[in-house]
Amino acid sequence: MLSELTDSSRESLARNNTTTPLRAKPLVLGGKVVQKAKLVGDSDIIIPQLFSCYVHKFGKWEELKFKDNKTQVRIGSSPDCEIHIPAHGVDEEHAVIQKFGNGIIIVERSGNKDCRFNGLKQAQFITGKYSACVMTIKDIPIVFSTTIGNRFLLADPLETQSLNYRVIGAENEYSLSRDRSVLIGSHSACGIKAKNQDFYGLIFYRNSRLCFFPLCDSVSIDGKKVDSVSFLQHGSVIKAGNEFFSLSLPEALRVAPKTRTSLVTDKKQFCLLAISPEQSPERILLPELGKAVSLGRSDRNYISIPTPDISRVHANLLVQDDYLLVTDCESANGTRHNGKRVVKAEVRPGDSIDFADKRFILCYAD
């Protein structure tokens, strides 16, 4: 699966630039180095927020950590990309990652759905807080995690119990939230611990169904080998290596939906994802191809942002086939494209665009 990776990936990861992957370092809290930090709830963010990815090469999974900053992390075949995948069919800049709050958004540049997220073809993926996902490019898997320690994958006792399910093993029992994808394996990023394999697979919730995506050959569900996305149900047994885990689902998750909804849409339409660390991201749907609209403080704009820092008519937006053309209208506090102030810019999927202090990421409506 991963034989196409070459030694050049090792060299690219050694480059020093503003988004160079970080090796694991001790946590610092209050000026002191600590090994553990206590979180009482989601509001008590006292650990430096990072996101990690795990790339399998040279026979093992290698962890890369990235700073919590406003710089893109790029995935592609170019040696300049922070996540270098030198495989046939991978674009020089295949996808980009932006971090926001406690999650990340991964956006494919072309929007052709050449990537798979958790086994499903999609042009982008947004992780929740303390969660994980698996991105596959040309049969090469990359595991992403926004957790620091497996305890954050466990269900919050304050959450509605109907949202939680249980995974029962021979030695441990886990109470898990359907809102947080969880990895199974021996790796430190795994919330469900199983021996002898870094990653056996991922449990995630999608369209009213609990699903499993395998990451190795030595895993089965209810006695059957799995090599693609599989549905889980109450009483399902996952065999990971020589260990067994049974699922206990609440009543709300035991009834499968009567109608099957499409997992992805074929329609490509842009939207702006409003980024705020304090709350969930908000989507602003953009108009169809070729239509120009305005953004500003006035409610006469197509996109109205009624805050003092935004000018009355701040910028004009023109939707093109593969990008959004943004023109600043001599605004007082300016417009920035990927952190750089601009008068006019071609904003591509995955890029950030700031209107004064309001940050957005251009992504796809699905």
Side-chain angles (χ1 to χ4, degrees):
M1 178 186 294
L2 305 169
S3 59
E4 293 179 291
L5 290 174
T6 67
D7 290 339
S8 60
S9 61
R10 187 190 300 273
E11 297 176 359
S12 69
L13 295 174
R15 294 173 181 269
N16 292 319
N17 51 47
T18 57
T19 52
T20 297
L22 301 176
R23 302 305 172 194
K25 295 181 178 180
L27 297 177
V28 178
L29 180 60
K32 298 180 179 180
V33 176
V34 295
Q35 296 302 318
K36 296 181 180 179
K38 181 180 179 182
L39 292 189
V40 178
D42 291 340
S43 61
D44 300 318
I45 306 300
I46 59 178
I47 294 179
Q49 292 297 296
L50 306 172
F51 74 89
S52 301
C53 78
Y54 307 91
V55 183
H56 193 285
K57 59 180 182 177
F58 312 119
K60 63 179 182 179
W61 291 90
E62 181 175 352
E63 178 181 11
L64 307 175
K65 286 187 176 181
F66 297 92
K67 291 180 180 180
D68 180 10
N69 56 27
K70 297 182 179 181
T71 307
Q72 292 177 342
V73 173
R74 300 163 297 170
I75 306 172
S77 59
S78 170
D80 294 328
C81 289
E82 289 71 42
I83 302 175
H84 183 209
I85 309 294
H88 178 72
V90 177
D91 295 339
E92 286 193 356
E93 193 173 291
H94 205 96
V96 293
I97 310 166
Q98 291 272 0
K99 191 177 186 304
F100 61 91
N102 292 320
I104 59 173
I105 177 171
I106 309 169
V107 182
E108 186 184 84
R109 281 301 203 184
S110 67
N112 293 329
K113 299 188 178 74
D114 289 332
C115 300
R116 291 180 179 268
F117 293 94
N118 299 345
L120 307 172
K121 278 192 173 184
Q122 294 175 252
Q124 66 190 17
F125 192 86
I126 300 175
T127 70
K129 54 190 176 184
Y130 317 136
S131 194
C133 77
V134 181
M135 177 184 185
T136 309
I137 307 177
K138 304 300 180 182
D139 293 330
I140 299 172
I142 307 172
V143 176
F144 290 93
S145 174
T146 56
T147 69
I148 302 179
N150 64 350
R151 62 175 297 179
F152 299 137
L153 292 169
L154 306 182
D156 190 322
L158 300 179
E159 290 177 332
T160 304
Q161 291 300 309
S162 63
L163 299 180
N164 301 341
Y165 64 95
R166 289 185 300 147
V167 175
I168 305 166
E171 300 178 0
N172 295 296
E173 181 175 323
Y174 304 87
S175 176
L176 301 164
S177 169
R178 68 177 183 178
D179 294 330
R180 300 175 185 177
S181 303
V182 59
L183 292 156
I184 301 177
S186 61
H187 197 281
S188 60
C190 295
I192 300 175
K193 295 302 181 183
K195 301 174 183 176
N196 301 325
Q197 191 79 250
D198 282 332
F199 299 112
Y200 283 101
L202 178 80
I203 297 178
F204 64 99
Y205 189 77
R206 178 76 183 214
N207 286 1
S208 303
R209 297 293 297 270
L210 201 63
C211 306
F212 180 83
F213 179 68
L215 278 167
C216 70
D217 298 330
S218 54
V219 63
S220 63
I221 297 176
D222 297 330
K224 297 180 180 179
K225 291 284 186 180
V226 290
D227 56 7
S228 60
V229 178
S230 301
F231 291 125
L232 297 171
Q233 57 189 358
H234 180 65
S236 286
V237 175
I238 300 173
K239 183 182 179 184
N242 295 320
E243 299 178 70
F244 294 87
F245 300 89
S246 61
L247 273 76
S248 176
L249 306 185
E251 291 291 340
L253 298 183
R254 293 185 188 184
V255 180
K258 294 182 179 179
T259 58
R260 202 173 204 181
T261 57
S262 174
L263 293 175
V264 295
T265 176
D266 292 330
K267 184 179 180 181
K268 185 165 74 174
Q269 187 173 7
F270 289 140
C271 75
L272 291 174
L273 187 70
I275 302 303
S276 172
E278 295 82 16
Q279 59 188 5
S280 300
E282 177 185 357
R283 297 173 187 266
I284 300 174
L285 194 64
L286 293 175
E288 63 272 15
L289 177 68
K291 185 174 181 179
V293 297
S294 61
L295 176 148
R297 186 177 68 247
S298 170
D299 57 9
R300 294 186 178 183
N301 292 287
Y302 180 88
I303 300 174
S304 176
I305 307 176
T307 59
D309 292 337
I310 300 291
S311 297
R312 187 174 61 83
V313 179
H314 196 101
N316 286 325
L317 315 177
L318 175 63
V319 179
Q320 299 290 351
D321 186 35
D322 295 320
Y323 63 91
L324 178 68
L325 182 62
V326 177
T327 304
D328 184 79
C329 297
E330 299 183 353
S331 62
N333 293 307
T335 300
R336 288 174 172 79
H337 175 219
N338 291 336
K340 182 180 179 181
R341 188 158 182 167
V342 294
V343 174
K344 182 178 290 188
E346 295 182 1
V347 182
R348 300 176 61 203
D351 287 352
S352 65
I353 184 76
D354 294 18
F355 304 104
D357 63 344
K358 303 301 178 184
R359 165 156 292 203
F360 299 85
I361 293 176
L362 182 66
C363 58
Y364 302 100
D366 62 347

